[in-house]
Amino acid sequence: MADKTAKVVRFHNLGGSEMLKIQEEPIPEPGKDEVRLNVKAIGLNRAELMFRKGEYLEPRPAVEAWL
């Protein structure tokens, strides 16, 4: 299954929604004691929105969502 790809939403710079980029990425194989979930929708909370704008500086992952 390593040859399949998914769309991911990434940001490389802080800012508004104009900084979000949809990219194709390979779907990683689950590791030992991990599972893969098929996600149909996600939500963003206030801290995630503030972080993307540079107003909340707690570390967050660079992958916003796998679509």
Side-chain angles (χ1 to χ4, degrees):
M1 190 161 196
D3 59 336
K4 291 191 176 184
T5 61
K7 292 179 183 176
V8 298
V9 178
R10 289 196 180 269
F11 64 93
H12 298 281
N13 296 299
L14 298 178
S17 60
E18 70 279 359
M19 294 297 167
L20 298 176
K21 304 295 180 210
I22 298 175
Q23 301 174 330
E24 288 282 326
E25 297 269 336
I27 299 173
E29 289 294 325
K32 184 181 180 203
D33 298 324
E34 295 180 337
V35 297
R36 178 179 297 130
L37 301 175
N38 289 321
V39 177
K40 300 293 181 191
I42 64 160
L44 297 174
N45 65 39
R46 183 170 172 78
E48 292 167 324
L49 297 173
M50 290 173 63
F51 174 78
R52 202 182 72 224
K53 292 179 181 178
E55 299 170 357
Y56 188 86
L57 301 179
E58 183 177 316
R60 294 303 230 207
V63 173
E64 287 287 318
W66 292 85
L67 306 176

